[in-house]
Amino acid sequence: MQQITIRRPDDWHLHLRDGAMLRAVLPETARDFARAIIMPNLVPPVVTLADTVGYRDRILAALPKGAVFEPLMTLYLTEDTDPADVAAAAASGVVKAVKLYPAGATTNSHGGVRDLTRVLPVLEKMAEVGLPLCVHGEVTTPEVDIFDREAVFIDTVLDPLRRRLPGLRVVMEHITTEEGVAYASSAGPTLGATITTHHLILNRNHILAGGIRPHYYCLPVAKREKHRLALRAAATSGNPQFFLGTDSAPHTDALKEQACGCAGCFTATNTMPLLAHVFEEDGALDRLEAFTSLNGPAFYRLPVNQTTLRLVKHATPPPFPDKIVTEAGPVTVFNPGFPVHWRVEA
Ligand code: DOR
Ligand code: ZN
């Protein structure tokens, strides 16, 4: 029997939603993870310090009895965000980052930013107080092909922004391309990049060849195989700039399996076994802990977790649930399409 014990992981990019969905999905993350950066794209979005305090309280109230889990809150950046509120948010200790959604880029992003020059005072304040900016790195220009939107964003938005504000710490969220890997690798310690579990497993053929698979559709959309391989190399490299952000994003089956389905893969339930599989396949099990438990805290300037997580490899793949039940309907758990022999055990 093969096994590995690592420091308890954190998820540096997570969607928990609210209400009944929050109550259904939170235990899936809290089971394995000590902390998570909580995305603010609720309806309406979480835009002020007061909003984050309320949302954090609802998350804590939804935790199962005995669970030890710390939500690390984010503010949803709008063109009306007040630099003073952001400074107060940073000082409060509740808010660990501000999230930039280019308006229209993804789920509930219409309240996001259209014109970056309008949020420069906020970004300058963030650089001053050391609060990181988490970026959904895709342009929204309709003419730009969806598979090119990340690379174009890096050249036309991210790089100019970082040159203008070199003191701003930025996380490129859920990178999906070799261009993203190259840009992050060449940048200094003010830049981090999260990588999702599903982007280490999927390329665009998995979504589209032989039938359309809505549960593999997410944003940014999975790209060609060469990009997946670049992400695998980055995640398993041990390079401190890369860390896990699952982007686990629950939508009910009814919303995924329709003519215009929602974007998001729900990986909270089985991320750690999947990552053990991926890292073992690449001969990098000894670097799993860096990716899931060390590099993220270092970037966010937070202590590493003191508790641990044990993963055990079984001869027969242990079953995992294919769906979780929510009051709004079932949510399909990400199925990688291959047997997974690893399981988290006490
Ligand atoms: O696939 C995604 N789902 N990508 C995002 O950026 C948002 C997320 C969601 O909130 O459903
Ligand atoms: Zn997300």
Short mmCIF file of all heavy atoms in Angstrom, two decimals, residues 13-15 17 39 41 99 101 106 136 173-174 196 219-220 245-249, ligand 2:
data_model
loop_
_atom_site.label_atom_id
_atom_site.label_comp_id
_atom_site.label_asym_id
_atom_site.label_seq_id
_atom_site.Cartn_x
_atom_site.Cartn_y
_atom_site.Cartn_z
N HIS A 13 -8.66 29.30 -4.86
CA HIS A 13 -9.71 29.85 -5.75
C HIS A 13 -10.91 28.91 -5.68
O HIS A 13 -10.89 27.82 -6.25
CB HIS A 13 -9.19 29.93 -7.19
CG HIS A 13 -10.17 30.53 -8.14
ND1 HIS A 13 -9.84 31.56 -9.00
CD2 HIS A 13 -11.47 30.27 -8.39
CE1 HIS A 13 -10.90 31.89 -9.72
NE2 HIS A 13 -11.91 31.11 -9.38
N LEU A 14 -11.97 29.36 -5.01
CA LEU A 14 -13.11 28.47 -4.78
C LEU A 14 -14.43 29.25 -4.87
O LEU A 14 -14.55 30.35 -4.34
CB LEU A 14 -12.99 27.85 -3.39
CG LEU A 14 -14.15 26.96 -2.93
CD1 LEU A 14 -14.23 25.68 -3.78
CD2 LEU A 14 -14.01 26.59 -1.45
N HIS A 15 -15.42 28.61 -5.49
CA HIS A 15 -16.79 29.15 -5.52
C HIS A 15 -17.66 28.35 -4.55
O HIS A 15 -17.82 27.15 -4.74
CB HIS A 15 -17.38 29.07 -6.93
CG HIS A 15 -16.62 29.89 -7.92
ND1 HIS A 15 -16.94 31.21 -8.19
CD2 HIS A 15 -15.55 29.59 -8.69
CE1 HIS A 15 -16.08 31.68 -9.09
NE2 HIS A 15 -15.23 30.72 -9.41
N ARG A 17 -20.82 29.81 -3.55
CA ARG A 17 -22.20 30.32 -3.71
C ARG A 17 -22.77 30.72 -2.34
O ARG A 17 -22.03 31.08 -1.44
CB ARG A 17 -23.11 29.28 -4.39
CG ARG A 17 -22.49 28.56 -5.58
CD ARG A 17 -22.12 29.46 -6.72
NE ARG A 17 -21.76 28.69 -7.91
CZ ARG A 17 -20.98 29.13 -8.87
NH1 ARG A 17 -20.43 30.33 -8.80
NH2 ARG A 17 -20.71 28.38 -9.91
N MET A 39 -14.47 33.11 -3.84
CA MET A 39 -14.80 34.02 -4.93
C MET A 39 -16.07 34.81 -4.62
O MET A 39 -17.01 34.29 -4.01
CB MET A 39 -14.97 33.22 -6.23
CG MET A 39 -13.65 32.77 -6.80
SD MET A 39 -12.61 34.20 -7.22
CE MET A 39 -11.12 33.79 -6.30
N ASN A 41 -18.33 36.26 -6.70
CA ASN A 41 -19.29 36.49 -7.81
C ASN A 41 -20.68 35.93 -7.48
O ASN A 41 -21.25 35.16 -8.24
CB ASN A 41 -18.77 35.92 -9.14
CG ASN A 41 -18.54 34.42 -9.11
OD1 ASN A 41 -18.28 33.83 -8.05
ND2 ASN A 41 -18.60 33.78 -10.27
N LYS A 99 -10.85 40.72 -6.38
CA LYS A 99 -10.97 39.96 -7.62
C LYS A 99 -11.37 40.87 -8.78
O LYS A 99 -12.36 41.60 -8.70
CB LYS A 99 -12.03 38.86 -7.45
CG LYS A 99 -12.29 38.02 -8.69
CD LYS A 99 -11.11 37.14 -9.08
CE LYS A 99 -11.32 36.45 -10.41
NZ LYS A 99 -11.87 35.12 -10.30
N TYR A 101 -12.83 40.87 -12.35
CA TYR A 101 -13.51 40.22 -13.48
C TYR A 101 -13.65 41.26 -14.58
O TYR A 101 -14.38 42.25 -14.39
CB TYR A 101 -14.92 39.75 -13.10
CG TYR A 101 -14.98 38.56 -12.19
CD1 TYR A 101 -15.34 38.69 -10.86
CD2 TYR A 101 -14.71 37.27 -12.68
CE1 TYR A 101 -15.42 37.59 -10.02
CE2 TYR A 101 -14.80 36.16 -11.85
CZ TYR A 101 -15.15 36.32 -10.52
OH TYR A 101 -15.23 35.23 -9.70
N THR A 106 -17.21 35.99 -17.53
CA THR A 106 -17.65 34.69 -17.01
C THR A 106 -18.91 34.85 -16.17
O THR A 106 -19.53 35.93 -16.17
CB THR A 106 -16.49 34.02 -16.23
OG1 THR A 106 -16.88 32.68 -15.88
CG2 THR A 106 -16.17 34.80 -14.96
N HIS A 136 -9.14 37.39 -13.32
CA HIS A 136 -9.67 36.49 -14.35
C HIS A 136 -9.08 36.99 -15.67
O HIS A 136 -9.52 38.00 -16.20
CB HIS A 136 -11.20 36.51 -14.38
CG HIS A 136 -11.76 35.54 -15.38
ND1 HIS A 136 -12.42 34.39 -15.02
CD2 HIS A 136 -11.72 35.53 -16.74
CE1 HIS A 136 -12.76 33.71 -16.10
NE2 HIS A 136 -12.35 34.40 -17.16
N GLU A 173 -5.35 33.97 -12.17
CA GLU A 173 -6.20 32.87 -11.74
C GLU A 173 -6.38 31.85 -12.86
O GLU A 173 -6.43 32.20 -14.04
CB GLU A 173 -7.57 33.42 -11.33
CG GLU A 173 -7.50 34.40 -10.16
CD GLU A 173 -7.17 33.71 -8.84
OE1 GLU A 173 -6.00 33.32 -8.67
OE2 GLU A 173 -8.07 33.55 -8.01
N HIS A 174 -6.48 30.61 -12.47
CA HIS A 174 -6.76 29.48 -13.38
C HIS A 174 -6.11 29.64 -14.76
O HIS A 174 -6.81 29.74 -15.75
CB HIS A 174 -8.26 29.22 -13.50
CG HIS A 174 -9.14 30.44 -13.62
ND1 HIS A 174 -8.91 31.45 -14.52
CD2 HIS A 174 -10.25 30.79 -12.95
CE1 HIS A 174 -9.84 32.37 -14.39
NE2 HIS A 174 -10.67 31.99 -13.44
N THR A 196 -5.99 24.93 -11.90
CA THR A 196 -7.09 24.10 -11.41
C THR A 196 -6.75 22.62 -11.58
O THR A 196 -5.86 22.25 -12.35
CB THR A 196 -8.41 24.35 -12.18
OG1 THR A 196 -8.32 23.72 -13.47
CG2 THR A 196 -8.71 25.83 -12.35
N LEU A 219 -14.69 28.08 -17.68
CA LEU A 219 -13.96 29.24 -18.20
C LEU A 219 -12.80 29.57 -17.29
O LEU A 219 -12.98 29.56 -16.06
CB LEU A 219 -14.91 30.45 -18.31
CG LEU A 219 -15.92 30.36 -19.45
CD1 LEU A 219 -16.93 31.49 -19.34
CD2 LEU A 219 -15.22 30.39 -20.81
N PRO A 220 -11.63 29.85 -17.81
CA PRO A 220 -11.30 29.76 -19.22
C PRO A 220 -11.43 28.31 -19.71
O PRO A 220 -11.11 27.39 -18.98
CB PRO A 220 -9.83 30.22 -19.29
CG PRO A 220 -9.57 30.93 -18.00
CD PRO A 220 -10.51 30.33 -17.00
N GLY A 245 -5.57 26.33 -7.22
CA GLY A 245 -6.83 27.03 -7.06
C GLY A 245 -7.83 26.21 -7.85
O GLY A 245 -7.79 26.22 -9.07
N THR A 246 -8.68 25.47 -7.17
CA THR A 246 -9.49 24.49 -7.91
C THR A 246 -10.49 25.13 -8.86
O THR A 246 -10.86 24.53 -9.86
CB THR A 246 -10.29 23.57 -6.96
OG1 THR A 246 -11.27 24.37 -6.27
CG2 THR A 246 -9.38 22.85 -5.98
N ASP A 247 -10.94 26.36 -8.52
CA ASP A 247 -12.06 26.95 -9.27
C ASP A 247 -13.27 26.01 -9.26
O ASP A 247 -14.07 26.03 -10.20
CB ASP A 247 -11.65 27.30 -10.70
CG ASP A 247 -12.59 28.32 -11.34
OD1 ASP A 247 -13.37 28.96 -10.61
OD2 ASP A 247 -12.54 28.47 -12.57
N SER A 248 -13.36 25.17 -8.24
CA SER A 248 -14.53 24.30 -8.13
C SER A 248 -15.77 25.20 -8.14
O SER A 248 -15.89 26.11 -7.33
CB SER A 248 -14.45 23.50 -6.83
OG SER A 248 -15.56 22.64 -6.72
N ALA A 249 -16.66 24.96 -9.11
CA ALA A 249 -17.76 25.91 -9.37
C ALA A 249 -19.05 25.14 -9.59
O ALA A 249 -19.32 24.67 -10.70
CB ALA A 249 -17.42 26.76 -10.60
ZN ZN B 2 -13.58 30.96 -10.59
#
